[in-house]
Amino acid sequence: MRKSKKFLSLMLVAAMAASLAGCGKPADTKTSSAAKSGSTTTPASSATSTASTGSKASTADEALEATITVWGPQEDQAKESGNWLGTMCDKFAEAHPNWKLTFKYGVCPEGEARTNVTQDPSAAADVYLLANDNIGDLVAAKAISKLGGSALDAVKAQNSEVIVNTVTYEGGVYAVPFTANTWFMYYDKRVFKEDDIKSLETMLEKGKVSFPLSNSWYNVAFYAANGCTLFGGNNDAAAGIDYSGDKATAVTKYLVELVKNKNFSNDADGSGMKGLKSGKVNAIFSGAWDYNNVVDALGAENVGVAQLPTAKIDGKDVQLRSFAGSKAIGVNPNTKNPQVAVALASFLGSTEAQKEHYKTRKTIPTDNSLLTDPEISADAVAVAQGNTVANTSIMQPFVAGMSNYWTNAENMGKAILSGEVNAENAAKKTEDLNAAFNTK
């Protein structure tokens, strides 16, 4: 890091942060203090939120005064959706009465953290929300801190192994996860019973199933089910992608036959959802973002949501597995106040903050204890996502070698659908795919 920039004045930091693409528009925030009963809105160009006293937390903190810049998506800062980010920062300040804290906010979607933070890490936010696949680039840019101590312990205690792996890179844990990113199954309860949805073969006997086989974020499910691996399952770049041998060929042959089934269709360009609405499709595979669309298509009373089924590949029932990633909170190693920044990141990913995130925006938590919370356990989508991550997923790798995966896997799915790949050439085509994955 460049030390001369590390000690820039707060005004210069704010000005430089405002110049970064995607993060230059400060969110609407309010200035407040736990000692005050009211609040006033400040101009967007200089918006800050200050809280200097509180009644909940320990007075063990050594007294300090700090300004902390926090970046997150607009939706988490919007008043109409509860301003989760500002509310949580104020609660954090209340929990640390010996810390006189001023918060400055900037708008930065999680998926754009790597772009915006790495432009100039010394001028970026102290704490920011990110998509987990940004971590590799952030580490390379020295723009994210490796966690240790109680922060690391909390991440491991709160989350499943799959979720912890989503924020682990080269042996270190780099962020505090707060929600998962994966896909699962929606189905019409008028067509399929609970026992039916355990097996794809049973479903294909009783109804119409649409699956995005031409999409490489989805078609991994079949290969992963039969023992194919991507970077050892833990971002081991040296392990490469293993779609080799009989295990992978058996999957390709299975898919060649699957696409011939009259009750199967490829889901592309929204065809699955359209079919669900018309009755020509009875099950699709998507994520939490599509729940309202499925309700519109089927009616709320007819919507079923579940983890992935098994498939009978090479005579064995094997568990289909979706990619799982996460959204998380990271700490900038350039922060002038690492003690505060790490504590804030931990708090934003805490059980309390995740529960509030669910209340304000229906952001489904990763925290294990919340999956049994009465409100969340009554949410079918939250349960299905939690079950999928725990039981029917693999961690989505984010090492550099994944750049070879996406287009090659997509093309394989398209070639199977078109008939270019068939039972006779399946072994060769699969080995060719494996070679393409592992080209340096």
Side-chain angles (χ1 to χ4, degrees), residues 3 23 31 37 44 47 79 95 97 107 116 172 200 240 271 281 284 297 302 306 308 375 384-385:
K3 293 185 179 179
C23 295
T31 299
S37 59
K79 293 178 182 178
V107 174
N116 296 314
L200 181 58
S271 61
V281 168
I284 65 169
N302 300 316
L308 306 190
E375 181 181 4
Q385 179 166 296

Side-chain angles (χ1 to χ4, degrees), residues 213-215 219 259 408-418:
L213 190 60
S214 56
N215 187 320
N219 64 30
V259 301
N408 285 311
E410 175 185 331
N411 289 340
M412 184 66 163
K414 290 178 177 178
I416 292 170
L417 286 162
S418 70

Side-chain angles (χ1 to χ4, degrees), residues 183 211 218-226 308 319-322:
W183 53 271
F211 184 93
Y218 290 84
N219 64 30
V220 67
F222 295 93
Y223 289 94
N226 209 42
L308 306 190
Q319 179 61 63
L320 298 183
R321 297 191 179 275
S322 55

Side-chain angles (χ1 to χ4, degrees), residues 315-361:
K316 300 173 294 184
D317 289 321
V318 293
Q319 179 61 63
L320 298 183
R321 297 191 179 275
S322 55
F323 274 142
S326 67
K327 293 180 180 180
I329 307 107
V331 174
N332 191 333
N334 297 280
T335 180
K336 294 180 179 178
N337 298 281
Q339 178 185 5
V340 178
V342 171
L344 176 59
S346 291
F347 180 75
L348 292 176
S350 68
T351 305
E352 176 185 354
Q354 287 193 40
K355 179 64 184 288
E356 190 65 25
H357 218 166
Y358 178 80
K359 287 182 176 179
T360 56
R361 289 195 57 212

Side-chain angles (χ1 to χ4, degrees), residues 5-27 29 43-49 67-71 102-107 116 119-126 332 334 336:
K5 286 194 175 182
K6 182 177 178 181
F7 297 102
L8 287 173
S9 69
L10 291 175
M11 187 64 72
L12 183 55
V13 170
M16 293 184 73
S19 70
L20 295 179
C23 295
K25 181 183 177 183
T29 58
S45 61
S46 60
T48 63
S49 175
T67 296
I68 302 295
T69 302
V70 187
W71 286 352
T102 299
F103 296 104
K104 294 186 176 182
Y105 300 94
V107 174
N116 296 314
Q119 284 189 31
D120 188 346
S122 67
D126 300 278
N332 191 333
N334 297 280
K336 294 180 179 178

Side-chain angles (χ1 to χ4, degrees), residues 182-199:
T182 191
W183 53 271
F184 37 84
M185 180 169 63
Y186 290 104
Y187 64 95
D188 189 333
K189 292 196 290 187
R190 295 168 297 185
V191 177
F192 302 115
K193 306 304 180 187
E194 285 192 16
D195 282 343
D196 299 333
I197 62 171
K198 296 176 182 178
S199 164

Side-chain angles (χ1 to χ4, degrees), residues 81-392:
S81 59
N83 186 17
W84 171 81
L85 190 58
T87 300
M88 289 301 99
C89 286
D90 285 346
K91 284 192 174 185
F92 174 77
E94 290 173 4
H96 297 275
N98 283 349
W99 292 351
K100 185 178 180 182
L101 302 176
T102 299
F103 296 104
K104 294 186 176 182
Y105 300 94
V107 174
C108 185
E110 295 99 338
E112 296 177 16
R114 81 175 123 214
T115 300
N116 296 314
V117 175
T118 61
Q119 284 189 31
D120 188 346
S122 67
D126 300 278
V127 176
Y128 55 88
L129 276 61
L130 65 138
N132 78 300
D133 62 358
N134 287 199
I135 290 175
D137 291 331
L138 290 163
V139 170
K142 296 181 173 58
I144 192 168
S145 298
K146 183 162 65 173
L147 301 180
S150 60
L152 175 60
D153 292 341
V155 169
K156 291 182 175 180
Q158 284 179 255
N159 300 285
S160 68
E161 182 179 359
V162 171
I163 291 297
V164 174
N165 284 342
T166 67
V167 291
T168 301
Y169 183 72
E170 296 181 344
V173 174
Y174 281 89
V176 181
F178 64 87
T179 192
N181 182 30
T182 191
W183 53 271
F184 37 84
M185 180 169 63
Y186 290 104
Y187 64 95
D188 189 333
K189 292 196 290 187
R190 295 168 297 185
V191 177
F192 302 115
K193 306 304 180 187
E194 285 192 16
D195 282 343
D196 299 333
I197 62 171
K198 296 176 182 178
S199 164
L200 181 58
E201 275 62 44
T202 301
M203 294 181 71
L204 289 166
E205 290 173 2
K206 297 192 172 184
K208 309 280 188 177
V209 178
S210 184
F211 184 93
L213 190 60
S214 56
N215 187 320
S216 51
W217 198 48
Y218 290 84
N219 64 30
V220 67
F222 295 93
Y223 289 94
N226 209 42
C228 297
T229 59
L230 294 89
F231 304 101
N234 59 357
N235 278 323
D236 180 0
I241 298 176
D242 182 10
Y243 271 40
S244 65
D246 293 343
K247 64 182 182 297
T249 296
V251 177
T252 302
K253 288 182 176 179
Y254 172 86
L255 294 175
V256 166
E257 294 305 312
L258 178 65
V259 301
K260 297 176 183 177
N261 191 308
K262 63 181 177 62
N263 280 345
F264 175 86
S265 64
N266 184 52
D267 188 351
D269 301 321
S271 61
M273 192 68 71
K274 292 174 185 174
L276 208 60
K277 192 166 188 175
S278 68
K280 293 181 180 179
V281 168
N282 310 123
I284 65 169
F285 297 79
S286 188
W289 57 87
D290 253 342
Y291 174 71
N292 290 335
N293 294 327
V294 176
V295 169
D296 288 343
L298 295 178
E301 69 279 8
N302 300 316
V303 175
V305 198
Q307 65 182 35
L308 306 190
T310 62
K312 190 175 289 294
I313 298 175
D314 203 20
K316 300 173 294 184
D317 289 321
V318 293
Q319 179 61 63
L320 298 183
R321 297 191 179 275
S322 55
F323 274 142
S326 67
K327 293 180 180 180
I329 307 107
V331 174
N332 191 333
N334 297 280
T335 180
K336 294 180 179 178
N337 298 281
Q339 178 185 5
V340 178
V342 171
L344 176 59
S346 291
F347 180 75
L348 292 176
S350 68
T351 305
E352 176 185 354
Q354 287 193 40
K355 179 64 184 288
E356 190 65 25
H357 218 166
Y358 178 80
K359 287 182 176 179
T360 56
R361 289 195 57 212
K362 292 293 183 184
T363 300
I364 298 172
T366 61
D367 184 286
N368 293 323
S369 67
L370 288 175
L371 299 180
T372 57
D373 177 275
E375 181 181 4
I376 295 172
S377 63
D379 183 333
V381 176
V383 172
Q385 179 166 296
N387 288 343
T388 298
V389 170
N391 305 322
T392 68

Side-chain angles (χ1 to χ4, degrees), residues 26-50:
D28 289 335
T29 58
K30 60 185 180 182
T31 299
S32 64
S33 171
K36 297 179 181 178
S37 59
S39 63
T40 57
T41 302
T42 61
S45 61
S46 60
T48 63
S49 175
T50 305

